[in-house]
Amino acid sequence: MTFGSTGLPADNPFSAPSDLPFGLPPFDRIRPDHYRPAFAAGMAGQRAEVEAIATDPEPATFVNTVEALERSGALLTRVAQVFFNLTSSVLTDELAAIEAEVTPQLAAHSDAIHLDRRLFARLAALHAVQHDSPAGSGADSSADSGADSGADSGLDDEQQRLLDRYHTDFVRAGAALQPAQQDRLREINAELATLGTAFKNDLLADTVELAVHVSDRAELDGLPDGAISAAEQAASPRGLDGYLLTLGLPSSQPELEQLTHRGLRERLHRASVARGGRGSAHDTRAAVARVVALRAERAVLLGYPDHAGYVIEDETAGSLAAVDAMLSGLIAPAVANAEREAAELESALHADGHDGPLQAWDWPYYARIVRDRTYQVDVASLQPYFELERVVTDGIFFAANALYGLSFTPRTDLAGYADDVQVFEVTTEDGAALGLFLADWYARDSKRGGAWMSSFVDQSRLLDAAPVIVINLNVPRPAAGEPTLLTLDEVETAFHEFGHVLHGLLSDVRYPKLSGTNVPRDFVEFPSQVNEMWGFHPEVLPRYARHHVTGEPLTQAVIDALIASRAYGQGFTTTEYLAATLLDLEWHRLTPAAAAAIGPDDVITFERDALARNGVALERIPPRYRSTYFAHIFAGGYSAGYYSYLWSEVLDADMVEWFAENGGLRRENGRRFADHLLSRGGSVDPLAAFVAVRGRAPRVEPLLARRHLQTS
């Protein structure tokens, strides 16, 4: 058997960089049995590279320490980017078993690097030279220094940014802790890695199990034909007769807007909010309690009062107090707006012949009725005008071309990781190749809920790497031969996620650690939220909003009504979001003692009390995510960071005004936004990038106006 330089057999696809265009992984050649040896070889290879850096007898320089770290771990990066993208999109039992095994190994591997006192001494020496402070600031005095600085005082801005990022990451990872503290930190990180994987997989399994089976088509009254067809398609692979309503990630399911059958609405809602908390084999409450306790302990170990303080210090918000100040001014007006909406909807419920109070499963249905009546537009009836391919080609791609000069060409000769994954080559306006874009639009039982962007290859001039970016949605699959018709929310989600795609595609930095969306969590949602505006822009919407059979465009009157109707229901929307945000922060501001006192049976009680303390315990408006299925914070990167969407929306609303003030969909505007912000990734201060485009610091007033939350 032939072995490559990585120590892997030559027939393992990860043994060498992909020979496909732009480094696209050779999905058709990758088998599950390739992953374990590739992970093992990747970790061993990077440990050897890091050992060489840490023991280099030459004084520390930017090139032999920081840049060397950026070059290390190429094999591990290749396998990890493929593997973890696939466990989110096409998870199998075999991949789940591998994930459960390698995740704690990867946590230990990361700790081995970040807690290496020799390596940290070299970084600290370089950092001290740049900041004219004592070498090793913050490090334990017993750290094995031996790392005189090579006087790299002439770093350019991006190099300085990268050095600062590495130094911060090592300090926050515990590099300056005593050995005994580091040992405990390793134990915590390993257990958290295992718990995060378990939470994700249990939530997916419970979400699949709780899908609502419907035998009688009459109960589906109100759903468009396409949605009924998709429900029939979902039932077939499970051997069920009739129809299956699968569950999306948030509490409020989209079908609740359209189903006239109140009993089915209730079944669907109760299934949604039961996920992870019903005592099944996939109950997530024990994981929630344990994760919170471990994060609280780790925060104190690292010198912070709580996990929220630890997380937010490294975001653009800077402090928990700043986040609290933003949120506190929004709660009262949001809830007041929601209560006014509830009274109006309850009147509609009673007019429909129902007694009793408005329930959570009634709210979306009657909100649609009142909205459509108020604005004289039936939003659900417009679904035939939002055919997926036209939305993508004549909407998303059109706007990207008009703003950024990008073109997207299908590459049918390149295979994705599933049969229905599309691959596009992306070129600039001068015809230069930029990278690849993969689109995975459809829901499947093996795909986690929600929508997201990720990458298989990050752009980097240092590594001569072009971006390979993937987008995932969960659009129900129609029957064979039928068109894929999107809801208005799905259209908005597609434009949103494509904003992340643009952030990755347009990246133009030297170092992979600063590439694309590698920016603070409370800034990363900003460009994607800005991109939502183009879905409803008067120069874009009429191009793609055409009937999929007749080609008839929406009339201007309908377009105007549609855009106006989007302002309706901000009380509900803001309150459900705030409830989830405040719940996240309540979990993560617990002290270790308080967190340790919470057991699995206490999770629901804690959630109820936390919502009540913050004034958002509205029975008719559950949090957008309840604790037991809050994947963002218990299986993703948003712990103590779900506030980021609203924080980013402050920037978004202000930037949308800038585009409007400067003529909207113009190439000049796109060029400025790309040159000063999208292309810079993490190589510049995020708020400085905002100012470079906007010309001033962000203001909150545009957001308050958008959400009808003026407080005076």
Side-chain angles (χ1 to χ4, degrees):
M1 181 178 293
T2 304
F3 288 82
S5 60
T6 61
L8 284 175
D11 64 351
N12 187 309
F14 296 110
S15 64
S18 170
D19 57 0
L20 294 177
F22 304 97
L24 177 73
F27 297 113
D28 57 342
R29 304 201 300 268
I30 297 172
R31 301 190 311 268
D33 61 293
H34 290 138
Y35 289 114
R36 283 188 178 91
F39 271 119
M43 286 185 278
Q46 189 172 32
R47 283 196 299 271
E49 291 166 330
V50 168
E51 181 68 15
I53 298 169
T55 58
D56 188 341
E58 294 297 318
T61 68
F62 182 86
V63 172
N64 72 16
T65 300
V66 181
E67 199 166 280
L69 283 170
E70 282 291 86
R71 294 182 184 277
S72 73
L75 167 58
L76 184 58
T77 298
R78 280 201 301 276
V79 62
Q81 287 187 305
V82 172
F83 181 77
F84 289 108
N85 273 303
L86 268 56
T87 59
S88 291
S89 301
V90 284
L91 183 67
T92 64
D93 290 343
E94 192 169 8
L95 292 184
I98 297 171
E99 184 177 25
E101 180 181 326
V102 304
T103 301
Q105 294 173 1
L106 290 169
H109 175 73
S110 177
D111 282 341
I113 295 173
H114 288 99
L115 301 181
D116 189 313
R117 300 168 74 78
R118 303 163 304 169
L119 190 57
F120 179 59
R122 295 178 71 88
L123 289 170
L126 287 171
H127 189 261
V129 169
Q130 294 304 311
H131 293 273
D132 194 27
S133 61
S137 173
D140 181 82
S141 58
S142 64
D144 180 14
S145 177
D148 296 331
S149 169
D152 260 336
S153 58
L155 302 184
D156 64 30
D157 290 345
E158 187 172 346
Q159 291 171 324
Q160 181 66 65
R161 186 85 179 168
L162 182 65
L163 172 59
D164 288 347
R165 185 68 262 165
Y166 264 105
H167 185 265
T168 297
D169 286 351
F170 270 68
V171 171
R172 287 173 56 79
L177 296 180
Q178 296 287 345
Q181 294 173 308
Q182 289 187 346
D183 289 344
R184 177 56 186 149
L185 191 62
R186 290 185 179 94
E187 294 171 354
I188 291 172
N189 289 340
E191 188 174 356
L192 283 171
T194 298
L195 288 166
T197 298
F199 184 99
K200 182 189 76 169
N201 293 341
D202 280 334
L203 174 56
L204 175 60
D206 216 32
T207 298
V208 170
E209 285 186 11
L210 281 165
V212 176
H213 182 216
V214 180
S215 300
D216 185 357
R217 182 185 174 109
E219 290 190 15
L220 299 177
D221 179 60
L223 287 187
D225 290 342
I228 294 174
S229 174
E232 189 172 23
Q233 288 292 113
S236 179
R238 302 199 202 179
L240 298 173
D241 294 328
Y243 312 87
L244 194 70
L245 299 179
T246 57
L247 300 176
L249 203 56
S251 298
S252 185
Q253 298 299 307
E255 293 89 350
L256 295 178
E257 282 196 3
Q258 299 164 326
L259 288 168
T260 63
H261 194 288
R262 196 182 188 199
L264 180 55
R265 293 202 307 267
E266 181 177 356
R267 284 177 59 203
L268 184 61
H269 172 79
R270 290 192 182 279
S272 177
V273 299
R275 284 173 290 170
R278 61 194 177 105
S280 73
H282 306 297
D283 198 295
T284 62
R285 287 176 294 178
V288 168
R290 184 60 178 158
V291 165
V292 168
L294 288 171
R295 285 174 177 167
E297 181 186 353
R298 182 176 63 182
V300 171
L301 195 62
L302 292 168
Y304 295 85
D306 49 48
H307 181 71
Y310 166 74
V311 169
I312 296 173
E313 180 194 65
D314 199 38
E315 307 295 343
T316 63
S319 70
L320 182 56
V323 175
D324 285 342
M326 176 190 69
L327 298 176
S328 63
L330 302 178
I331 296 171
V335 171
N337 284 358
E339 294 290 7
R340 286 192 292 270
E341 291 168 11
E344 187 175 29
L345 302 186
E346 194 158 82
S347 296
L349 171 76
H350 295 161
D352 212 13
H354 296 290
D355 296 326
L358 182 79
Q359 301 288 350
W361 50 87
D362 295 320
W363 192 302
Y365 178 74
Y366 287 101
R368 176 185 63 81
I369 289 177
V370 172
R371 180 195 64 207
D372 292 355
R373 182 179 65 212
T374 301
Y375 295 96
Q376 297 295 297
V377 60
D378 180 358
V379 172
S381 71
L382 301 181
Q383 199 166 348
Y385 290 83
F386 303 131
E387 190 272 325
L388 174 62
E389 185 175 350
R390 189 184 288 274
V391 170
V392 173
T393 301
D394 296 339
I396 292 172
F397 288 173
F398 167 76
N401 180 264
L403 286 164
Y404 308 112
L406 303 182
S407 297
F408 298 81
T409 304
R411 289 293 303 264
T412 55
D413 58 315
L414 298 177
Y417 51 83
D419 291 342
D420 52 5
V421 174
Q422 300 171 295
V423 182
F424 298 87
E425 182 169 341
V426 188
T427 53
T428 63
E429 59 191 334
D430 60 4
L434 184 64
L436 292 180
F437 165 55
L438 280 67
D440 186 354
W441 303 114
Y442 293 107
R444 59 179 73 92
D445 283 349
S446 58
K447 181 190 283 191
R448 69 176 173 90
W452 65 96
M453 162 269 187
S454 187
S455 62
F456 286 106
V457 181
D458 292 322
Q459 180 274 330
S460 165
R461 282 187 265 111
L462 176 73
L463 304 180
D464 194 26
V468 179
I469 307 298
V470 60
I471 187 176
N472 274 267
L473 267 64
N474 267 284
V475 177
R477 185 185 303 278
E482 294 188 11
T484 302
L485 304 179
L486 304 183
T487 66
L488 199 61
D489 284 345
E490 288 167 343
V491 171
E492 184 174 57
T493 298
F495 273 90
H496 174 97
E497 295 302 333
F498 198 76
H500 290 306
V501 170
L502 291 167
H503 207 172
L505 286 174
L506 291 169
S507 177
D508 184 17
V509 300
R510 195 177 316 154
Y511 301 108
K513 194 177 186 69
L514 306 176
S515 180
T517 56
N518 290 322
V519 298
R521 182 66 67 184
D522 58 5
F523 190 80
V524 74
E525 296 298 335
F526 156 56
S528 58
Q529 289 171 330
V530 168
N531 204 61
E532 292 175 22
M533 71 179 289
W534 306 117
F536 303 93
H537 192 273
E539 294 181 57
V540 182
L541 179 61
R543 295 183 61 88
Y544 71 80
R546 293 176 175 269
H547 197 281
H548 71 96
V549 174
T550 66
E552 173 191 6
L554 290 176
T555 66
Q556 190 60 49
V558 171
I559 290 175
D560 292 343
L562 178 61
I563 293 173
S565 72
R566 286 168 44 75
Y568 181 78
Q570 285 298 319
F572 176 94
T573 301
T574 308
T575 300
E576 70 158 0
Y577 169 80
L578 285 172
T581 298
L582 293 163
L583 186 57
D584 170 28
L585 293 175
E586 286 288 321
W587 278 120
H588 291 118
R589 69 203 314 160
L590 290 172
T591 64
I598 297 174
D601 293 338
D602 303 316
V603 167
I604 303 304
T605 301
F606 177 87
E607 176 179 297
R608 182 194 63 215
D609 293 346
L611 296 174
R613 277 195 302 274
N614 287 279
V616 288
L618 281 68
E619 193 69 29
R620 296 179 291 197
I621 307 180
R624 183 166 175 81
Y625 304 101
R626 294 187 65 185
S627 304
T628 54
Y629 51 91
F630 207 160
H632 284 77
I633 67 172
F634 292 116
Y638 281 81
S639 64
Y642 194 64
Y643 78 90
S644 300
Y645 289 93
L646 197 58
W647 187 273
S648 293
E649 196 180 349
V650 172
L651 311 180
D652 154 43
D654 203 354
M655 191 61 72
V656 165
E657 284 199 355
W658 176 83
F659 273 102
E661 292 164 1
N662 289 276
L665 195 76
R666 297 173 61 235
R667 182 71 184 91
E668 294 82 357
N669 292 340
R671 183 176 290 110
R672 180 166 176 167
F673 194 57
D675 289 350
H676 293 290
L677 197 146
L678 292 178
S679 68
R680 305 319 308 142
S683 68
V684 298
D685 176 79
L687 293 182
F690 177 94
V691 172
V693 179
R694 188 67 173 101
R696 58 163 174 76
R699 296 173 181 164
V700 73
E701 287 77 13
L703 171 67
L704 298 178
R706 173 191 287 183
R707 287 186 172 254
H708 304 282
L709 294 176
Q710 288 86 343
T711 57
S712 59

